[in-house]
Amino acid sequence: MPALDVPALVDHHCHSVVAADLADDALAGLLTESDRPPARGASPFDSALGLAVRRWCPPALGLPVHAPAADYLARRRELGAVEATRRLLAAAGLDTCLVDTGLAAAAGRPLLPLTEFAEASGATVREVVRLESVAEAASATAGAWPQAVREALVGATAGAVAVKSVIAYRHGLAVPPERPATAAVVAAAGAWLRSGGGRLTDPVLLHHLLWTAVDVCAGLGLPLQLHTGFGDPDLTLHLADPSLLTGFVRAAEPSGVPLVLLHGYPYHRQAAWLAQAFPTVYTDLGLTASYTGPRVAAVLGEMLELAPFGKLLFSTDAYGLPELYLVGAAQFRHGLGELLGQWRADGACSSADVQRLARLVAADNARRLYAV
């Protein structure tokens, strides 16, 4: 079949990158969701993601495909981080990046500010506001905390295209469909403030915060992104199953706020079901496309068993390393091309269908949802 007519991609959820030289072990450490050192004798390069890096990234730096990790790292040092970053981001071919600004550093180095990231990537860059970060920075007494958080979120979203929650990390996705009572929120805020504030983990505050985001997003016409599925060891995996959100999805549905379920794996089929069952729910494959390596087409196929074609979005969820942008984009293009090529060969769809579906998932769905 002819090559897919995939436009320059709209990466609807990602993070900035480090454009400083990293030690080899620090760089390799960003090829895993673990925040622990690898086991003795093991390397993050010896993984499906590591193979994908060695498949897609060496040519951007002037090396052959599948160059050994040691040769790749040596070439990266030779070019320097700034030039390597420029080449890798350019090779990703991204038109627009919606960047979650809730993370400021990787491997102990600062991430590029949005203006510098836009210059390095050549992409149009827009901000996604991290909900919990806004709440943790809000200053108020316990009684004023609910209103202060709402006002802080309204202010933070000026010019942003979405709000994102990491409640999956903080307490899990079993969000009650009822809003917490104001008295309970004020009492929980008082306890949190007396403890010195810091990282929000109280379920009452988190659930109030999520409903605050629904209200603010409804007023501003913004989607609400939610991390689901696998992540670093700070997360308890079974509590990140997106099907746990079903009651909350039903309760939030009258608001009309789009709920975007990020990543999902290994619960990507549950996310796909939610996207089919509820008009307000969207989903993506995200960093799963990179981490599953040669299985990317199979996992995409599992999502598209149920997810409506107009509800699946492309993202890399790249963080720290520019390699993760190139790998995410290349894996997505390759996996979607392989999958739709199989569908066309089997007579499941026409060539025109293939091109239309590729454009929807690659960019058009995101442009419609985020108005970018």
Side-chain angles (χ1 to χ4, degrees):
M1 61 172 291
L4 281 179
D5 178 20
V6 177
L9 301 173
V10 175
D11 189 343
H12 88 107
H13 183 76
C14 51
H15 307 269
S16 190
V17 299
V18 172
D21 292 310
L22 296 173
D24 289 355
D25 59 347
L27 188 150
L30 292 173
L31 297 179
T32 171
E33 283 293 296
S34 179
D35 56 6
R36 274 73 164 167
R40 183 177 180 182
S43 167
F45 273 99
D46 286 331
S47 65
L49 173 57
L51 288 177
V53 169
R54 292 179 47 229
R55 178 181 190 177
W56 302 113
C57 295
L61 304 189
L63 293 174
V65 171
H66 302 308
D71 293 352
Y72 179 80
L73 293 169
R75 176 59 174 163
R76 203 182 193 280
R77 288 193 299 272
E78 179 186 3
L79 288 171
V82 172
E83 176 64 12
T85 296
R86 185 192 67 78
R87 291 190 185 196
L88 291 162
L89 291 176
L94 298 166
D95 177 83
T96 302
C97 293
L98 310 186
V99 181
D100 172 5
T101 53
L103 297 174
R109 301 296 186 94
L111 302 179
L112 288 178
L114 294 190
T115 53
E116 294 181 30
F117 175 70
E119 183 178 356
S121 65
T124 298
V125 173
R126 302 290 300 276
E127 183 181 12
V128 174
V129 171
R130 178 75 69 90
L131 177 61
E132 290 77 12
S133 298
V134 172
E136 288 162 354
S139 178
T141 62
W145 192 82
Q147 183 61 29
V149 166
R150 179 187 294 266
E151 292 173 358
L153 185 58
V154 170
T157 50
V161 296
V163 174
K164 187 258 185 100
S165 172
V166 290
I167 192 172
Y169 279 92
R170 304 302 181 85
H171 187 70
L173 296 178
V175 179
E178 304 82 14
R179 294 172 182 254
T182 301
V185 174
V186 170
W192 177 67
L193 291 168
R194 287 192 298 274
S195 73
R199 190 171 188 262
L200 268 175
T201 58
D202 183 278
V204 172
L205 297 183
L206 291 171
H207 298 157
H208 169 77
L209 192 56
L210 203 59
W211 278 110
T212 300
V214 169
D215 294 340
V216 170
C217 287
L220 299 176
L222 300 179
L224 174 58
Q225 300 179 345
L226 297 118
H227 178 99
T228 68
F230 80 115
D232 65 47
D234 186 37
L235 176 146
T236 300
L237 185 58
H238 73 277
L239 298 179
D241 181 338
S243 67
L244 295 173
L245 286 167
T246 304
F248 172 74
V249 170
R250 290 193 188 103
E253 189 173 9
S255 73
V257 171
L259 304 176
V260 189
L261 308 180
L262 305 174
H263 324 317
Y265 188 87
Y267 308 110
H268 50 290
R269 280 174 157 147
Q270 285 92 318
W273 169 75
L274 284 164
Q276 183 191 73
F278 295 96
T280 55
V281 175
Y282 294 74
T283 189
D284 81 350
L285 187 62
L287 77 170
T288 302
S290 298
Y291 274 82
T292 55
R295 289 278 298 165
V296 60
V299 179
L300 259 172
E302 289 169 353
M303 294 199 78
L304 288 172
E305 289 168 354
L306 287 182
F309 304 142
K311 307 286 283 302
L312 182 65
L313 306 171
F314 162 74
S315 77
T316 62
D317 195 32
Y319 161 65
L321 292 180
E323 281 86 350
L324 298 179
Y325 275 99
L326 176 50
V327 168
Q331 285 281 106
F332 173 77
R333 288 187 174 105
H334 173 77
L336 189 63
E338 180 179 328
L339 175 67
L340 295 181
Q342 292 171 352
W343 287 9
R344 174 66 185 90
D346 290 342
C349 61
S350 68
S351 295
D353 289 327
V354 166
Q355 303 294 356
R356 181 175 61 85
L357 299 184
R359 291 193 296 272
L360 283 174
V361 180
D364 290 354
N365 291 339
R367 293 197 186 283
R368 182 179 71 253
L369 182 61
Y370 298 98
V372 294

